[in-house]
Every structure is written in C-alpha cells, then in structure tokens.
Amino acid sequence: MLLPRFTLNKLLVRCLNLTMAGRNSQLTPSNRSSSQSRSSNSKQFKQTCTQLLDLPPAKVTEWLQSFDAVISDCDGVLWVYGKAIEGSVDVMNQLKSMGKSIYFCTNNSTKTRSELLVKGVELGFNIDQNSIISTAHATAAYLKQRNFNKRVYVIGSTGITQELDAVGIKHTDVGPDPMPGSLNEFMTQHLKLDTDIGAVVVGFDEHFSFPKMTKAATYLNDKKCLFIATNTDERFPMPTHVVPGSGSFVRAIQTCAEREPFIIGKPNPAICEQLIRANKVNPARTLMIGDRANTDILLGYNCGFQTLLVGSGIHQLSDVEQWKKSNNPEDKKLIPDVYLPKLGDLLPALLTDRANIY
Amino acid sequence: MSKAGVVNLLDLPPLQVTGWLQTFDTVISDCDATLWHDDVAIPGAADVLNLLQRRFGKRVYLITNNGTKTRQEIFERSQRLGFELASEAQIISPTSTIVNYLRQSDKFDGKKQRVYVVGNAAIERELSGAGIESFGAGKPEQLDIKWQDFVEREFSTPTAAVDVGAVVVGWDEHYSYCKMARACHILTANPDCAFLTTNKDAVHKYPAYHIPGTGAFVAGIEACAEREALEMGKPNPLVLEPLLKGSALDVKRTLMVGDCLKIDVSFARNCGMQSLLVGTGSYQLETLHALQADSSASNPLVPDVYLPKLGDLLPYI
C-alpha cells in the first residue's frame, strides 16, 4: 500500500532520524567527522563503473546514504533539449525530499540562472535559483571576484551579457557581426577596436564570424587581456544532430590568438569552488551525476566527489570499457563509480527504500 | 657545410659560397615575402632564380601556401614580376595539390561526387578546371532564423550530405557558424569523405591587427567533427609527392628557400631538403639567434644558411 507522497516524505525523514542514533537529525557537512565511517562505504565503488541495477537493494540503500548533496548535469541527464528525460523529475525531487541538497550544474552558457530556473521549474523540478550553477553566472562571478573593472569582449549570447550586467561589468554587444563588404573594406573602414577591453569571453555563439575572430585575436595579442572560455564541450548536446558547441568556437579563437583560455566550466573544479569553500557541500559526501565523462565525471574526480554516469546522453558503457582497457592514466579519471542507463532508473530503488524503512 | 648553427652566407669567403651553390640541382622557393610582396617583386629575386636556371642549369619551382589563387593565377603573377618559368607545372600551390590528391584518391569519384568548400572562389575555380563540381565557395552564409531551426531545416534530410566526397577548408572571410555546422554534418554523416585544408597557418600578424589564418577556420571544424584535416600545404611533406614521383627529385640536392622558420624551414626538414632562410619576412638574423638561445628543444629548427634577401646571391652567380 503506497501512502501519499507528502506523508511518505515526513515518515521517511522521521525514520532516518531514528535510525541514525547519536547523530544530528540533519545530514549536514558540519557533521563531517561523524560521517567519516559512512564515507568509507562510498569508496568501495570508486571508479569501478558498478551498475546500480545489478546491485541488491540493501547495497543501493547503503549507496544512497553515502551522499548528502547531489550535483547534476542538465542536458542529457535531466532533460534533452526541451523535454524532461523520463523519471528524472521524480528522482531529483525524491532525493531532495530525502534531505539531500540539490544542485544543477550546466556548461550551457546560453541561459542565465533565472532562465535555467524557469526551465527547470516548468519541467517540474523542485529547485530555486541558488540550486543553479551555470557557466555564464560563474564567468561573471569569476571576473567580479578579481575586481575586474574594464570591458569584456563577448563572443557568446545574452546568457553571458545579462549575468555580466547583473554584477555591473561592462561588455560589448552580442549578436550578428558579419563581413560588411570586402576584406579590404572591412580592414580599412569597418573594423573598430575598443580601447578598454580587459577580457575576451568565448561561449556558444551561433553568430560566430570572421570579424569576431579578428577582433578577439587582436585583443588577445595584449598579454594582460584575459582569455576566458565558458566551456570546451566541442558539440552542443542535440539528440539527432552533430552540431558545433562552445568548444569549437574556443578552439578557433585559441588557434588564431595562439593562447590557451582559462576554462570556467566542467571539468575545471573552479565551477564548484564557491560551494566547497562555503562549506555548502562535503566533497566525499557529494554525488556528481553526468552523461559526459570528460566534463561531468572528470569534474567529480577533480573535486573528490562520488560519480554516477548515466547513459542517456553522450557517453555509454562501451566508452567506459575503452577507458578501463586504456594505458593512459588520464582515461582512468573518466571511469565513474556507478552507472545507470538513465537517472529515472533509480526511482524503484528510492521507493523500495522507503517501503523498507517500515 | 656545418648544419649546427645559422650561417650567414655573406660572412663566408666567396669561394665557399660558390662551393655551396654546387650542392644542389633544384631550387624550390616560397613566394610571399621571399620573392614578392603581393604584386611587387623583391629586388634581385627574379634575377637570381632566372640565372640559376639559365647559367647553372638548375631546376626551379615556386611553392606557396596561398590558397586564394589558382595555380594558373600564381603562374601569371610570376610572369608579370619577371620570373622565367616554363609553365604552371613549376608552381606548387594548395589548390593544385588538392586537385592532385582528389584525382589519385580511391575514395573520391569526381564524376559522381562533389566538394563542399568552406573557402574562397579560387578553390572552386581550380576544382572546376579539373572537372570537379563544388559548392559553397566564396559565398556568405549567415543565420537568419534560430540555429536549432536552421539545423533541422538543413540537415534533417539526406540531401545535405549526399554525394559529397570531400570537405575543403581554405581562407574564408565569410566563415560562420552555418558553414561550421554544415562541414561537421557532412563529415560525420560520410566517414569516407575527404577532409582537406589548403594550409594551417594560424594567424597573420599585422601591426594594428591580427587576422585569423586558415588554421583557425579548420581548427573549429576539426573540434566538432572529431577529425583532423589533411594539410595540403607546407610543412606537410605530402605536398612534394607529385614532384618526387613525376620528376626524379633528389631531396638531398634540393634547396628550399623561404622566409618563415616554422613553415619553410620545417618543410625542408620534413622532406630532407637543404634550407635557406631569407630575412625579407618576419625572421631576421637577430630573431634567429634569440630563438636559438631560448630554445630548450633537443633539435631546434635552424636553417642551414641565411641571407638578408635572395637577391644578395647575385654577386656570386
């Protein structure tokens, strides 16, 4: 007999409180020392790509209790393009009601945090703005933290410029910048360079063009000018087509600028820097969920998180097999702790988990 | 002659220079900033190459990474500027290397397949001259709808990639997202499709501006397509193959002349040729000495010999 979800949640929280004798009722990171014995359980799956669906329920329950925070990628894990992936909403909301802190972490720089929040809420996810970690927001925060007071040349979208506006950082406009005429006309009449550019930020830009490349290469010739990439995913996640992502635009710019960018997004741990520093998450008791190993799982590795790979996006079990066979130590970092075909597959275990509490 | 350091020919006694002149039978010379700057010949360059042919019986070829002109157009320029070459067959250019490559490729059938060009009209002209159909060259293509709708409209049917046997990337001031997306779609839909680029020069540096080179255009497509383009220009030694096959070239007795350390001297090294660096481009003697001092590489790039300009050879010949 299934109780109404609301009642179930309350009972579950009470049961969790009772079963954890001698501990505070909240599994907060401040209980780090008392949770050490629990976090040792999480090491048993370390980089083994254990298939959760093959484990007995008791083991899954144990695994569920080994983390207090969940950081999940969005495209390919929670949703694809405009639609939620089956079961993702229920799983994330259940994890939240179990008392876990939930964060959405996306490399997609085309939306502001509030736009991502609207999208998530519309799809049914129980989140607030502080749950969202996005590269556009993190880029603005990165510059603000370093007291950046010049102008940013942006190759990207309004997702980035609006976040810069929100922290009071000046920037150039985004949108189309096509060749106005012949190359000679462009160079002699139209090419106008700003004198106060202190950073070039490159993200996803469907209006990428030769004039933009010329401006970026010229600005970046000044070593003092910062070069920031929101992310380096070479392909934009799209179910049916291979299309260029931010990483392709970044590669073009880094080639003509002859410089490497500072990469804000996954797998650079900088994107979770604030969360960890502010003690909002305890890395050993944080689960990173993703579909792309060289961004999501690698971020997990870099931050000391536990990792779950889902097969509903970019990488599959067959890819993990390759990395297991590989001699390259870098490939080992891509192997997740555990695996599920899709996030929604966790739902039966979550509901069983509750039933077993009785 | 020692290969250990940079030798300025002007520092050597004349007899040694004469001796050096006899160590090669063929000269392959770069064009831009070695023989000419656009349509203006560098003084003495034409005389030197003409005399090496007429008086010394050496074979002379011109080689360029300039992918914005056909081989015929480069030949015509060389004629205008006073270089005496028998025919366009003595010009090695990216557009003609591309045509040679496609002609001898097992996978490309010029009768049934066409080429998608992210590049300028010269590539199309060279291909068309060889009876190969192409599309996309020299044309702007900007987004006027949402990119997701563009992708659905253009790539949802097989026609976008059907019968496209090669993607060629060259200099394109109309480079855009749309072109990147189309190139990626074609390359990932047709694994047998050739992926060629005229050259991989990363950037062209002018005092007030840095202009992206073809290398930057191709890098963006390589990233998305997860494939590397084959470089149809220096320093890829593949460029010399037609000459090696067709005319019994002895690379050890061939002198490569150029102004760019990274492209011309490494091309010479890749092919096993001798190298002469001229100072009419971005590399002068002081730069070379500084590079040598800085370099921690076990085998730094150093030309065999150096001259401020090619015309400086005149007194010796």
Side-chain angles (χ1 to χ4, degrees):
Chain A
M1 180 191 78
L2 279 174
L3 292 172
R5 190 169 289 176
F6 175 73
T7 319
L8 202 64
N9 289 350
K10 289 180 88 171
L11 279 169
L12 183 64
V13 171
R14 276 192 54 204
C15 290
L16 282 172
N17 293 348
L18 290 171
T19 51
M20 277 175 273
R23 301 183 60 200
N24 287 351
S25 56
Q26 297 279 302
L27 284 169
T28 61
S30 57
N31 292 335
R32 218 170 288 205
S33 55
S34 55
S35 66
Q36 281 310 326
S37 57
R38 293 269 170 169
S39 53
S40 66
N41 291 337
S42 70
K43 293 205 169 80
Q44 68 181 300
F45 297 131
K46 205 77 198 146
Q47 288 169 280
T48 59
C49 196
T50 299
Q51 298 199 47
L52 281 174
L53 292 182
D54 293 344
L55 290 179
K59 279 283 180 197
V60 180
T61 301
E62 204 183 295
W63 172 77
L64 282 167
Q65 288 165 356
S66 69
F67 53 89
D68 312 316
V70 176
I71 303 179
S72 179
D73 176 48
C74 302
D75 296 292
V77 178
L78 305 178
W79 57 66
V80 165
Y81 198 18
K83 283 176 60 180
I85 295 175
E86 194 194 332
S88 291
V89 176
D90 284 338
V91 166
M92 292 307 284
N93 290 347
Q94 291 281 16
L95 290 170
K96 176 153 189 165
S97 59
M98 281 166 74
K100 305 200 191 292
S101 309
I102 303 295
Y103 298 94
F104 288 4
C105 180
T106 180
N107 268 1
N108 187 336
S109 63
T110 64
K111 291 190 175 356
T112 60
R113 281 199 313 169
S114 32
E115 285 164 341
L116 286 164
L117 175 67
V118 165
K119 178 172 185 165
V121 166
E122 269 174 11
L123 292 175
F125 292 95
N126 187 5
I127 47 168
D128 61 60
Q129 184 142 310
N130 292 323
S131 318
I132 312 271
I133 304 166
S134 81
T135 48
H137 178 258
T139 299
Y142 174 83
L143 288 168
K144 197 68 189 166
Q145 216 174 31
R146 281 146 183 84
N147 297 317
F148 182 83
N149 61 359
K150 300 181 103 182
R151 184 182 302 272
V152 180
Y153 178 65
V154 181
I155 295 181
S157 61
T158 55
I160 298 170
T161 54
Q162 283 174 37
E163 292 284 11
L164 288 171
D165 286 337
V167 293
I169 292 178
K170 302 188 299 273
H171 57 81
T172 56
D173 289 331
V174 294
D177 187 6
M179 281 296 275
S182 71
L183 182 62
N184 197 41
E185 280 165 22
F186 171 63
M187 302 301 295
T188 55
Q189 294 165 37
H190 300 275
L191 179 54
K192 300 263 183 291
L193 297 171
D194 290 316
T195 49
D196 59 345
I197 299 290
V200 172
V201 168
V202 184
F204 181 83
D205 188 358
E206 70 268 40
H207 298 292
F208 196 69
S209 67
F210 171 82
K212 295 191 183 199
M213 293 171 77
T214 302
K215 289 173 189 171
T218 306
Y219 290 135
L220 288 170
N221 184 41
D222 176 0
K223 299 279 176 276
K224 294 194 302 291
C225 183
L226 300 175
F227 181 17
I228 296 168
T230 58
N231 60 300
T232 50
D233 304 59
E234 292 90 355
R235 295 176 175 183
F236 193 94
M238 211 179 180
T240 45
H241 298 288
V242 170
V243 288
S246 302
S248 297
F249 309 123
V250 171
R251 191 82 65 85
I253 299 295
Q254 81 187 64
T255 302
C256 56
E258 296 183 316
R259 281 178 63 171
E260 299 291 312
F262 176 77
I263 305 162
I264 293 281
K266 301 174 279 185
N268 188 345
I271 199 161
C272 287
E273 191 181 63
Q274 281 197 311
L275 269 190
I276 298 172
R277 266 215 224 127
N279 272 340
K280 292 211 165 79
V281 299
N282 168 4
R285 293 190 60 80
T286 300
L287 176 72
M288 176 75 208
I289 307 176
D291 68 302
R292 179 188 263 280
N294 60 334
T295 50
D296 306 318
I297 305 302
L298 187 53
L299 175 74
Y301 177 91
N302 289 337
C303 294
F305 299 156
Q306 300 179 45
T307 54
L308 160 62
L309 178 73
V310 293
S312 45
I314 302 282
H315 286 127
Q316 304 301 318
L317 277 176
S318 51
D319 296 302
V320 181
E321 287 311 306
Q322 294 300 316
W323 300 323
K324 281 183 172 176
K325 284 190 211 146
S326 161
N327 288 326
N328 184 351
E330 291 305 303
D331 286 344
K332 301 305 177 201
K333 298 178 183 179
L334 306 177
I335 301 169
D337 300 341
V338 292
Y339 172 87
L340 280 171
K342 65 180 191 297
L343 186 56
D345 293 336
L346 193 54
L347 199 58
L350 283 173
L351 296 176
T352 313
D353 187 58
R354 290 184 165 179
N356 285 345
I357 297 284
Y358 299 101
Chain B
M1 184 101 5
S2 162
K3 284 198 180 250
V6 185
V7 176
N8 186 347
L9 284 173
L10 297 182
D11 292 339
L12 296 178
L15 216 58
Q16 256 194 288
V17 178
T18 312
W20 169 78
L21 281 167
Q22 283 159 12
T23 63
F24 53 91
D25 309 315
T26 306
V27 177
I28 302 181
S29 179
D30 172 55
C31 302
D32 294 298
T34 300
L35 304 180
W36 56 65
H37 288 295
D38 292 331
D39 254 344
V40 179
I42 293 174
D47 289 334
V48 166
L49 290 186
N50 294 344
L51 283 168
L52 287 174
Q53 283 182 111
R54 268 193 271 125
R55 198 174 285 173
F56 290 76
K58 300 195 192 299
R59 280 190 292 166
V60 168
Y61 296 89
L62 266 47
I63 185 169
T64 181
N65 269 8
N66 186 339
T68 65
K69 294 194 177 338
T70 61
R71 174 194 244 184
Q72 177 64 26
E73 287 156 3
I74 294 167
F75 176 65
E76 281 164 14
R77 169 179 276 176
S78 72
Q79 300 280 77
R80 273 200 310 275
L81 298 183
F83 294 85
E84 292 162 10
L85 300 171
S87 77
E88 61 162 36
Q90 280 166 273
I91 308 281
I92 306 166
S93 76
T95 53
S96 58
T97 303
I98 287 167
V99 163
N100 287 337
Y101 179 88
L102 289 174
R103 269 194 181 135
Q104 55 82 56
S105 164
D106 295 331
K107 295 201 181 130
F108 182 81
D109 181 351
K111 291 194 215 69
K112 294 199 202 119
Q113 293 180 309
R114 53 204 178 113
V115 178
Y116 176 55
V117 180
V118 177
N120 59 83
I123 300 170
E124 189 202 1
R125 288 196 295 275
E126 191 85 69
L127 288 167
S128 159
I132 298 171
E133 190 195 326
S134 68
F135 65 107
K139 295 186 179 59
E141 187 178 14
Q142 289 290 331
L143 266 186
D144 49 6
I145 52 176
K146 280 175 64 178
W147 70 266
Q148 296 93 333
D149 296 335
F150 170 83
V151 170
E152 285 303 322
R153 184 187 75 193
E154 296 289 322
F155 309 137
S156 295
T157 62
T159 45
V162 81
D163 292 336
V164 183
V167 170
V168 172
V169 181
W171 168 265
D172 190 357
E173 70 262 37
H174 296 294
Y175 189 74
S176 68
Y177 168 83
C178 298
K179 297 189 179 203
M180 290 170 82
R182 180 167 286 103
C184 290
H185 170 75
I186 292 169
L187 288 167
T188 48
N190 304 345
D192 279 342
C193 186
F195 184 18
L196 311 175
T197 183
T198 53
N199 61 296
K200 287 193 175 180
D201 298 21
V203 61
H204 302 289
K205 298 179 184 176
Y206 294 90
Y209 313 109
H210 282 199
I211 301 184
T214 302
F217 305 138
V218 90
I221 296 171
E222 285 178 328
C224 180
E226 292 181 1
R227 279 184 61 175
E228 259 190 60
L230 201 53
E231 193 174 2
M232 302 273 104
K234 303 170 283 179
N236 191 348
L238 172 149
V239 160
L240 208 58
E241 267 170 34
L243 214 61
L244 289 169
K245 279 194 205 136
S247 59
L249 198 74
D250 180 356
V251 288
K252 286 198 283 299
R253 291 190 61 82
T254 301
L255 177 72
M256 171 70 201
V257 183
D259 70 289
C260 182
L261 194 70
K262 280 191 215 150
I263 296 191
D264 299 317
V265 176
S266 54
F267 180 61
R269 173 180 286 187
N270 292 345
C271 299
M273 301 186 285
Q274 300 179 43
S275 57
L276 161 61
L277 185 77
V278 292
T280 38
S282 14
Y283 293 90
Q284 274 77 52
L285 208 55
E286 303 74 39
T287 324
L288 285 178
H289 286 142
L291 280 173
Q292 265 190 293
D294 267 344
S295 176
S296 51
S298 54
N299 197 13
L301 209 54
V302 168
D304 297 330
V305 288
Y306 170 89
L307 277 174
K309 65 181 193 296
L310 186 57
D312 291 334
L313 262 184
L314 272 175
Y316 303 92
I317 59 180

